[in-house]
Amino acid sequence: MGTTLAMVIVALALLFLGEHSLAIRSGSLCKTTSSGGERPHTVTITEFGAVGDGVTLNTIAFINAMYYLTSFEDKGGAKLFIPAGKWLTGSFILVSHITLWLDKDAVILGSTISDDWPVIEPLPSYGRGRELPGGRHRSLIIGYNVTDVVITGDNGTIDGQGSVWWNWFHGGTLNYTRPHMVELIDSKDVLISNLTFLNSPFWNIHPVYCSQVVIQNVTIIAPLDSPNTDGIDPDSSNNVCIEDCYIRTGDDLVAIKSGWDQYGISFAHPSTNITIHRLIGETNVSAGIAIGSEMSGGVSEVYAEDIQIFNSKRGIAVKTSPGRGGYVKAVYISGVILKNVQIAIEFNGQYGEHPDETYDPHALPRILKVTIHNVTGDNVTVAGHLEGIKGDDFLNICLSDINLRVTSRSPWTCSYVGGFSDFVSPDTCRPLKRKIYPESHCYNLSSNLQSVAIPNRITRWRSW
């Protein structure tokens, strides 16, 4: 799928939503700082022997460019410019204080040879590859312990050519977990903006154990039947801001995670202060915004607003299971528009996939203080499927100002949940029928929610 087709899909989505089309406003929840400036040094990938014909493998050129750019880390950093062309490459590793800039007609193509994506150790908070025991293929673009990294451009494209990986997955021929498109590990001060991501082999953008991450003005597209092509997955990370994004993929558009069962519990690295602002998209197998199911390190202080989901299975989902441990708390989601969605709100306490047999089934997650406010929906099948865990009720689930046009005769099903509601149509289930009062335990947007800072040098690159 090329960049032109991607743009057509976005335009059709906006047309489909009609009067509810995404309102692109100038306001940003990603705070701008006064630090930074243009990179004092620029090099072009062709200076390292790269050929943009879509056939020549340029992995060595990218590796050599990164090695060269380390010499500028203490000199204000440098920009690696990717000009128009199709630049085929295997996995390569980023360095600190770098801007990877793609021209509007530049395409970084992921190799279709699995050996060009080396196998690495599993993440400690997962204990194994997410799909298979053992290691995992390294992401196309990856950074370890880097700081001040910008991946941006004039709406250039990163294409993972993932169909070969999807076929291996469906055929059961993979030996290791599939690679992500972009992954930052133990890193900080990261910006990803003004790019199109196509056809990722697995998850698209995965900041894990990171802080101060901004993902802004990106388009992420994969076929709706492509397996597990999550859009953006903040994982055991803090101070993450996602805004002005269009995502159309084969799994969750945004999924907030923090490790898997006993590995995530022992690693104990939560995701906190996650902001999602102006998101639009569709997924016919999963959710627009999901928390979990891997949330064993804990998730808190999540704020999402101006969310528009259409032609999808779920709007908002919290997924967990006995054995997960951890918690989900202090979540505030507001300003959601749904159209042609099967389940508007789902809490699933039996999302039971586990890494191995050594997990503790008595490690129960705590789900509390989740507020969902100001939701409208047209042609919604089920308003809510809210299923907690016996002996571990999900508490202080608060719903208000929700108006859904529902086609099912049983709009709500609830078990092992408790909370409050007000101005909800159709009328919600009994455990949530108590009215919301100021003295209730509902979570309101915290004044302590932090803005995510980004350097001034990127503000001029915003395309919306």
Side-chain angles (χ1 to χ4, degrees), residues 239-267:
N239 298 335
V240 178
C241 184
I242 300 165
E243 66 177 12
D244 295 326
C245 296
Y246 174 85
I247 305 175
R248 180 181 186 269
T249 64
D251 211 318
D252 297 315
L253 307 186
V254 175
I256 303 167
K257 303 176 180 291
S258 65
W260 198 9
D261 284 8
Q262 69 272 25
Y263 303 105
I265 294 170
S266 62
F267 196 69

Coordinates of all heavy atoms in Angstrom, one line a residue, residues 239-267:
N239 N 5.0 9.8 31.0 CA 5.0 11.1 30.3 C 5.0 10.9 28.7 O 6.0 11.2 28.1 CB 6.2 12.0 30.7 CG 6.1 12.3 32.2 OD1 5.0 12.3 32.8 ND2 7.3 12.6 32.8
V240 N 3.9 10.3 28.2 CA 3.8 10.0 26.8 C 2.6 10.8 26.3 O 1.5 10.8 26.9 CB 3.6 8.6 26.5 CG1 3.4 8.3 25.1 CG2 4.7 7.7 27.1
C241 N 2.8 11.6 25.2 CA 1.7 12.3 24.6 C 1.5 11.9 23.2 O 2.5 11.9 22.4 CB 2.1 13.8 24.6 SG 0.8 14.9 24.0
I242 N 0.3 11.5 22.8 CA -0.1 11.0 21.5 C -1.2 12.0 21.0 O -2.2 12.1 21.7 CB -0.6 9.6 21.5 CG1 0.5 8.6 22.1 CG2 -1.1 9.1 20.2 CD1 0.0 7.3 22.5
E243 N -1.0 12.6 19.9 CA -2.0 13.5 19.4 C -2.0 13.7 17.9 O -1.0 13.5 17.2 CB -1.9 14.9 20.1 CG -0.7 15.7 19.8 CD -0.7 17.1 20.5 OE1 -1.6 17.3 21.3 OE2 0.1 17.9 20.1
D244 N -3.2 14.0 17.4 CA -3.4 14.3 16.0 C -2.9 13.1 15.1 O -2.1 13.3 14.2 CB -2.7 15.6 15.5 CG -3.3 16.8 16.2 OD1 -4.5 16.8 16.4 OD2 -2.5 17.7 16.5
C245 N -3.5 11.9 15.4 CA -3.0 10.7 14.7 C -4.2 10.0 14.0 O -5.3 10.0 14.6 CB -2.4 9.7 15.6 SG -0.8 10.3 16.3
Y246 N -4.0 9.5 12.8 CA -5.0 8.6 12.2 C -4.4 7.2 12.1 O -3.3 7.0 11.6 CB -5.3 9.1 10.7 CG -6.2 8.2 10.0 CD1 -7.6 8.3 10.1 CD2 -5.7 7.2 9.2 CE1 -8.4 7.4 9.5 CE2 -6.5 6.3 8.5 CZ -7.9 6.4 8.6 OH -8.7 5.5 8.0
I247 N -5.2 6.2 12.6 CA -4.7 4.9 12.6 C -5.8 3.9 12.1 O -6.9 4.0 12.5 CB -4.3 4.5 14.1 CG1 -3.3 5.5 14.6 CG2 -3.7 3.1 14.1 CD1 -2.9 5.2 16.1
R248 N -5.4 3.0 11.2 CA -6.3 2.0 10.7 C -5.5 0.7 10.5 O -4.6 0.6 9.7 CB -6.8 2.5 9.3 CG -7.7 1.5 8.6 CD -8.1 2.1 7.2 NE -9.1 1.3 6.5 CZ -8.9 0.3 5.7 NH1 -7.6 0.0 5.4 NH2 -9.9 -0.3 5.1
T249 N -5.7 -0.2 11.4 CA -4.9 -1.4 11.5 C -5.7 -2.6 11.9 O -6.9 -2.6 12.1 CB -3.8 -1.2 12.6 OG1 -4.4 -1.0 13.9 CG2 -2.9 0.0 12.3
G250 N -4.9 -3.7 12.1 CA -5.5 -5.0 12.4 C -5.5 -5.3 13.9 O -5.7 -6.5 14.2
D251 N -5.4 -4.3 14.7 CA -5.5 -4.6 16.2 C -5.7 -3.2 16.8 O -6.2 -2.3 16.2 CB -4.2 -5.2 16.7 CG -4.5 -6.1 17.9 OD1 -5.3 -5.8 18.8 OD2 -3.9 -7.2 18.0
D252 N -5.5 -3.1 18.2 CA -5.8 -1.9 18.9 C -5.1 -0.7 18.2 O -3.9 -0.8 17.8 CB -5.3 -2.0 20.3 CG -6.0 -3.1 21.1 OD1 -7.2 -3.2 21.0 OD2 -5.3 -3.8 21.8
L253 N -5.8 0.4 18.2 CA -5.1 1.6 17.6 C -4.1 2.2 18.6 O -3.0 2.5 18.2 CB -6.2 2.7 17.3 CG -7.4 2.2 16.5 CD1 -8.3 3.4 16.1 CD2 -6.9 1.5 15.2
V254 N -4.5 2.3 19.9 CA -3.5 2.7 20.9 C -3.8 1.7 22.1 O -4.9 1.5 22.5 CB -3.7 4.1 21.4 CG1 -2.8 4.4 22.6 CG2 -3.5 5.1 20.3
A255 N -2.7 1.0 22.5 CA -2.8 0.1 23.6 C -1.7 0.4 24.7 O -0.5 0.4 24.4 CB -2.6 -1.4 23.1
I256 N -2.2 0.7 25.9 CA -1.3 1.1 27.0 C -1.0 -0.2 27.8 O -1.9 -0.9 28.2 CB -1.9 2.1 27.9 CG1 -2.3 3.4 27.0 CG2 -0.9 2.5 29.0 CD1 -3.2 4.3 27.7
K257 N 0.3 -0.5 27.9 CA 0.7 -1.8 28.5 C 1.8 -1.5 29.6 O 2.3 -0.4 29.7 CB 1.3 -2.7 27.4 CG 0.4 -3.0 26.2 CD 1.0 -3.8 25.2 CE 0.1 -4.1 24.0 NZ -1.0 -5.0 24.4
S258 N 2.1 -2.6 30.4 CA 3.2 -2.5 31.4 C 3.7 -3.9 31.8 O 3.9 -4.1 33.0 CB 2.7 -1.7 32.6 OG 1.7 -2.3 33.3
G259 N 3.8 -4.8 30.9 CA 4.4 -6.1 31.2 C 3.4 -7.2 31.4 O 2.2 -6.9 31.6
W260 N 3.9 -8.4 31.4 CA 3.0 -9.6 31.3 C 3.2 -10.5 32.5 O 4.2 -11.1 32.7 CB 3.4 -10.3 30.0 CG 2.4 -11.2 29.4 CD1 1.2 -11.4 29.8 CD2 2.7 -12.1 28.3 NE1 0.6 -12.4 29.0 CE2 1.5 -12.8 28.1 CE3 3.8 -12.4 27.5 CZ2 1.4 -13.8 27.1 CZ3 3.7 -13.3 26.5 CH2 2.5 -14.0 26.3
D261 N 2.1 -10.6 33.2 CA 2.0 -11.5 34.4 C 3.2 -11.4 35.3 O 3.6 -10.3 35.6 CB 1.8 -13.0 33.8 CG 0.4 -13.2 33.3 OD1 -0.4 -12.2 33.3 OD2 0.1 -14.4 33.0
Q262 N 3.8 -12.5 35.7 CA 4.8 -12.5 36.8 C 6.0 -11.7 36.4 O 6.7 -11.1 37.2 CB 5.2 -13.9 37.2 CG 6.0 -14.7 36.2 CD 5.1 -15.5 35.2 OE1 4.0 -15.1 35.0 NE2 5.7 -16.6 34.7
Y263 N 6.3 -11.6 35.1 CA 7.5 -10.8 34.6 C 7.2 -9.3 34.8 O 8.1 -8.6 35.2 CB 7.8 -11.2 33.2 CG 8.0 -12.7 33.0 CD1 7.0 -13.5 32.4 CD2 9.2 -13.2 33.4 CE1 7.3 -14.8 32.2 CE2 9.4 -14.6 33.3 CZ 8.4 -15.4 32.7 OH 8.7 -16.8 32.6
G264 N 6.0 -8.9 34.4 CA 5.7 -7.5 34.6 C 5.5 -7.1 36.1 O 5.9 -6.0 36.5
I265 N 5.0 -8.0 36.9 CA 4.9 -7.8 38.3 C 6.2 -7.6 38.9 O 6.5 -6.6 39.7 CB 4.1 -8.9 39.0 CG1 2.7 -9.0 38.5 CG2 4.1 -8.8 40.5 CD1 1.9 -10.3 39.0
S266 N 7.2 -8.5 38.6 CA 8.5 -8.4 39.3 C 9.3 -7.2 38.7 O 10.1 -6.5 39.4 CB 9.3 -9.7 39.1 OG 9.5 -10.0 37.7
F267 N 9.1 -6.9 37.4 CA 9.8 -5.7 36.8 C 9.3 -4.4 37.4 O 10.1 -3.5 37.6 CB 9.7 -5.8 35.3 CG 10.7 -4.9 34.6 CD1 12.0 -5.2 34.6 CD2 10.2 -3.7 33.9 CE1 12.9 -4.4 33.9 CE2 11.1 -2.9 33.3 CZ 12.5 -3.2 33.3

